[in-house]
Every structure is written in C-alpha cells, then in structure tokens.
Amino acid sequence: MLQIKNLSKNYEDLKVLEQIDLEIESNKTTVIIGPSGSGKTTLLRCLNLLAIPDIGEIDLNGVSLTFDPNQPLQKRKILDYRKKTGMVFQSFHLFSHRTVIENIMEGPVTVLKKGKADAMAEGMALLKKVGLEDKANQYPRQLSGGQQQRVAIARALAMKPEVLLFDEPTSALDPELEIEVLEIIRALAKEHYTIVIVTHKMTFAKEVGDNIIFLENGRILKQGSYAELYHSGNERINRFLTTLQ
Amino acid sequence: MFNERVINILQESFFKILIPGITHTIPLTLVSFAIGLFLAIVVALVQVSNVRILNPIVKFYVWVIRGTPLLVQIFIIFFGLPSAGIVLDSVPAAIIAFSLNVGAYASETLRAAILSVPLGQIEAGYSIGMNYFQVLRRIILPQAFKMSVPPLFNSFIGLVKDTSLAANITVTEMFMVTQRIAAKTFEPLALYCEVAVIYLIFCTVLSKVQHMAEKSLKLEQG
C-alpha cells in the first residue's frame, strides 16, 4: 500500500498540490484524472520523488518518508525509495546512446549491481513480454513511438518496482500506436501490478481503473470507481467524464 | 618571382622548417591540448555540478582567459613572471599558456554539450534509482563527449596554428625557424607561403582524423 498523507507542493507562490490524502492499494490500478494544470503530473512526480514534496508523508509498504522544508530528506533515502518505484514518461525518455536491451539492463546492472548475464536474460524476458525481443540490439531512434514506450515500460519493470507510475503514457502517440501501449498496461493491470496512471483516456480509465481520483486545483475533488464518480452528482466531474469519452 | 634561386631556397628550407614542426609544433600542440582538455573537463564539471567555492573560481578563470589575448598571456607567463620570482623556460611557459587557453575555451564546449543532453533522459536515470554520479557517468558524459567531438577538433586545429605565437618567446618552432631563414635569404613571400602550406598539411591531416573519429562514433546519424 502506498499512503500519502497531507502532501503539499508549491512552485514558489503557486500551490500545485494542497494537502493531498490518498491511499493507493497494492495490486490495483489507480487512475488520476483532472483538467490541465490540476497537479496530476506533479502528484505522480512526487510519488517518484522527481519532485520533492514540501510537506507531508509518503509511506510505501511500511517504509515511510516525511517531508519537512526545514529538514531536507537524506539522499540515501530518496535513492532507496526511487528503486522501489518505476516511472514511465509521456515522451519515453529512452537513453538514446544505448540499445534497447542496454536501456533495460541499465538499472539492474548500475543500480542493483546485478551480473550482466542475469540482467540480459531478465531483460530479454521483459522484451518478450512487451513483444519486442527482435528489437533488442536496435537503438531507440530506430523504433516507432509505440515501440519506444513499450521499451520504456520494460525498463521500468526491470527494477521490479513495488509500484508502477505512468505519466500520460500514450499522449505522444497516434491512435494506432496508442493501442499497443494500452494493451501492455491492460495486461500489467490484469497481472495485478500496483499501477498509478495519469491519463486523459476516459474509456481506458473506466476499463482498468479500480479507483479513480479526480484532481482539480491541486486538491482531490472526488475519488472512487468510475460509476461512483459518474453518479456522484457533481456537475464538474460529469462534464469532464462525458466530454472526454 | 619563382626563379631557380627561390626554388632552391624553398627545397633547402623545407626540411629545416618541417623538422621543428615535428620536434616542437606537434609535441607542443599534443601536450597542451591534453592538459587543456583535462582542465576543461574539470572546469565544465565544476560548473554543471555547481561545486561550491570552486564554481566562482573556475568562472573567473574562464572569464580572464577568454577576455585577454593569448599573446599577452604568453608574455605575462614568460617575460612577466620572472619579476615575481617565477622563471620558466620558453617551452614550459608556452605549454602553460596554451593549456590554460584551451582549458577555458574547451570547457565551454563541454559545458554546452553536457547541457544539451535531454533533461528527460536525466530524469529517466533518476527514476530507475541512479545517483547523480551514475547519471553523470552513464547517461550525460557519454552523450556529451560524442557531441563535443566536432567543436573540440575546432580548438585542436586552432591550437596547431596558435603555437606559432610561441616564436615570440624564443621557442624554436616552425614559424621561428622560418623567420630566421627569411631574414637571411630576403625571400619572405616564398618562405612564409611555404610555412603556411606546412601548417595547412598538418591541419588537413587533423581534419581527416576528425572525419574518421566522427565516422567511428556514428555522429552523422545524430
């Protein structure tokens, strides 16, 4: 379980996240939705500590981090926490000087100090899982956007994270390529990975989301199943859900 | 103009000029560039990693070196420092001046290359749990070095020609030797053209080396 307590994040005077309280259940898929600028991506980046919250607490399966502006977190703690979370970015961000398999092996070899042979075998298995074992020795620039994102998913999985974070994973893809990436995420959800996904795809949110969080102006306006949100009687949410079908 | 006498002078002087090129110009260039590149790497890393205390010092160094003429720097080191009790031979003085010069310019080349590595890849490195030094060593530097190859060759080729300034502090490199022969034979046009051609040959070889380096790094694919 990933617990977020009283988490706030400001960028100078701009309040991006305000007193977020949230419980993300293990082995479930949590979807974060909301209008642009509502703080979705910042919330996700806080869950990976790419953005450090100003105040609050994050507890991942019993390991707790407390944020306090007067007491910066130890680097060691940040690094240990990041090893347990996997992040998939909107624009893939594969290492462009490394081949596909090297991208996937990078974390296990450099961070987890795994042997190269083991990391390679595990990497190939992950590539098979995302259907790209024939691309192992190609460079990212030789792949389509959808393929790059599938490699990025494999790279995140290689760290065997306790939670997988997706930041609008299909926003940079055309509809045809989108399908192949969504299929992988759907499969991971079925395998009961703990997933947090920021998306604008409402149909997908409805399909895979066990819990849907509606964020607005840095606060959680409502959360629950799709049906609960839909029938919440909140006009703002209804308009959002129906216009973005 | 190119009568038999001039042709004879050109033939006789060719090796007289080329030999100091091999014994002085090339070693001076290689040694100064190696030291300068090392300096540049340190200076660039101090700046991008924002190392406290050192950062203002290296910024000051780049500012001074880039803002003053190389010839003046050479004179300060060779003719000026003895007044402060530091007496250097001409060759070490030249190496110090050239190294400091390359260090300042190449550090900016490297810094630009480092900053051009996409932030997203750096964050991707952090997201798989890498620390700053792992990101620097595994993600940033390999890409930055590759990108800085063409501009670094610019500095390298520039340095080959700048070594001619060492003639002013009694280093017997190619230009110094040419000046002496020209003074003796009264054929400045032919002789200075001759030394120019030799510099051109050196630099042509370097251009070829650059081309091969870029090819082996697959730079043209971006």
Side-chain angles (χ1 to χ4, degrees):
Chain A
M1 170 125 67
L2 178 56
Q3 273 181 305
I4 296 134
K5 286 178 211 152
N6 193 31
L7 185 143
S8 296
K9 173 78 183 165
N10 299 342
Y11 286 118
E12 291 176 6
D13 289 339
L14 184 71
K15 288 180 179 168
V16 190
L17 295 174
E18 272 188 273
Q19 298 171 331
I20 300 281
D21 284 300
L22 184 58
E23 286 189 359
I24 290 165
E25 276 186 83
S26 296
N27 314 317
K28 294 268 165 88
T29 298
T30 303
V31 180
I32 304 173
I33 60 172
S36 292
S38 60
K40 304 184 296 292
T41 293
T42 303
L43 177 56
L44 204 69
R45 287 170 63 85
C46 281
L47 297 185
N48 187 279
L49 302 186
L50 281 176
I52 306 286
D54 295 329
I55 212 155
E57 201 183 322
I58 293 179
D59 185 307
L60 178 58
N61 298 328
V63 181
S64 161
L65 296 174
T66 308
F67 305 97
D68 176 350
N70 303 317
Q71 232 180 327
L73 217 53
Q74 287 168 298
K75 283 194 178 134
R76 181 80 259 146
K77 281 191 173 167
I78 295 178
L79 292 174
D80 282 341
Y81 177 87
R82 281 208 194 111
K83 283 178 207 169
K84 296 187 287 186
T85 60
M87 180 87 160
V88 175
F89 300 88
Q90 189 175 348
S91 341
F92 336 131
H93 300 324
L94 293 179
F95 307 130
S96 49
H97 60 307
R98 296 272 151 80
T99 61
V100 164
I101 186 72
E102 285 169 347
N103 262 277
I104 297 169
M105 289 163 63
E106 187 62 48
V109 171
T110 306
V111 178
L112 302 179
K113 312 288 178 204
K114 256 191 199 154
K116 278 207 174 148
D118 286 351
M120 168 91 91
E122 286 178 24
M124 286 309 292
L126 285 171
L127 270 182
K128 199 167 177 193
K129 193 183 178 97
V130 298
L132 290 171
E133 66 267 52
D134 56 326
K135 305 283 185 197
N137 295 313
Q138 303 219 326
Y139 282 90
R141 62 173 172 271
Q142 297 167 298
L143 306 182
S144 73
Q147 290 170 335
Q148 289 191 44
Q149 192 61 302
R150 283 147 70 193
V151 174
I153 293 171
R155 177 176 66 181
L157 288 173
M159 293 297 290
K160 299 197 169 67
E162 293 173 24
V163 53
L164 262 175
L165 310 168
F166 291 88
D167 183 14
E168 301 192 34
T170 63
S171 295
L173 301 172
D174 65 49
E176 217 174 332
L177 299 177
E178 195 168 12
I179 293 169
E180 59 185 52
V181 171
L182 291 180
E183 234 155 61
I184 305 257
I185 301 173
R186 201 174 281 134
L188 294 173
K190 282 208 183 99
E191 288 175 44
H192 301 295
Y193 276 88
T194 307
I195 293 173
V196 183
I197 176 167
V198 170
T199 186
H200 285 296
K201 307 288 302 173
M202 286 312 131
T203 42
F204 188 66
K206 184 180 176 183
E207 182 199 334
V208 300
D210 297 304
N211 190 26
I212 299 176
I213 319 273
F214 190 96
L215 217 59
E216 189 169 47
N217 296 326
R219 289 173 178 276
I220 296 174
L221 199 60
K222 188 89 193 164
Q223 62 172 308
S225 67
Y226 186 88
E228 281 168 347
L229 253 67
Y230 194 77
H231 298 295
S232 64
N234 185 315
E235 203 184 311
R236 173 79 187 93
I237 296 175
N238 272 13
R239 211 177 338 126
F240 190 87
L241 291 178
T242 44
T243 49
L244 283 171
Q245 270 308 329
Chain B
M1 185 182 82
F2 283 103
N3 57 34
E4 207 176 313
R5 178 178 160 271
V6 174
I7 290 167
N8 273 336
I9 290 172
L10 285 178
Q11 279 177 347
E12 275 174 33
S13 60
F14 185 78
F15 285 102
K16 282 187 194 157
I17 298 171
L18 185 64
I19 286 164
I22 290 162
T23 59
H24 279 79
T25 302
I26 291 176
L28 204 56
T29 306
L30 290 178
V31 172
S32 304
F33 194 74
I35 300 172
L37 195 56
F38 174 76
L39 254 178
I41 293 169
V42 174
V43 168
L45 286 181
V46 164
Q47 291 197 53
V48 293
S49 311
N50 201 3
V51 182
R52 264 171 300 172
I53 311 165
L54 282 181
N55 201 1
I57 296 173
V58 300
K59 279 208 170 95
F60 177 80
Y61 154 71
V62 173
W63 173 63
V64 169
I65 297 292
R66 290 203 307 176
T68 56
L70 176 55
L71 187 59
V72 174
Q73 295 161 14
I74 293 170
F75 272 45
I76 289 174
I77 291 169
F78 185 69
F79 295 117
L81 286 186
S83 314
I86 303 168
V87 184
L88 291 164
D89 277 341
S90 57
V91 171
I95 288 175
I96 290 171
F98 293 137
S99 305
L100 288 174
N101 205 264
V102 168
Y105 281 95
S107 75
E108 287 294 281
T109 299
L110 291 174
R111 196 169 66 86
I114 288 170
L115 294 179
S116 74
V117 174
L119 180 64
Q121 290 188 36
I122 294 167
E123 288 195 334
Y126 287 131
S127 81
I128 54 171
M130 286 182 163
N131 61 34
Y132 178 70
F133 288 102
Q134 288 168 334
V135 168
L136 195 64
R137 191 169 53 84
R138 306 281 306 170
I139 314 295
I140 300 177
L141 292 185
Q143 299 191 65
F145 276 126
K146 209 169 152 175
M147 272 183 276
S148 56
V149 165
L152 282 180
F153 264 97
N154 243 356
S155 303
F156 196 18
I157 288 170
L159 181 61
V160 173
K161 296 169 294 167
D162 283 346
T163 56
S164 61
L165 292 173
N168 292 289
I169 57 166
T170 73
V171 176
T172 51
E173 47 67 70
M174 293 203 293
F175 187 59
M176 164 78 123
V177 173
T178 312
Q179 278 179 308
R180 282 181 186 162
I181 302 171
K184 257 190 289 180
T185 57
F186 299 106
E187 286 296 342
L189 177 62
L191 283 157
Y192 291 138
C193 285
E194 186 173 38
V195 75
V197 168
I198 297 176
Y199 277 112
L200 192 58
I201 293 168
F202 284 3
C203 293
T204 306
V205 172
L206 278 181
S207 296
K208 293 276 176 222
V209 173
Q210 175 182 355
H211 184 70
M212 289 188 307
E214 287 182 17
K215 235 181 162 174
S216 72
L217 287 169
K218 298 195 172 75
L219 259 184
E220 63 268 62
Q221 290 172 18

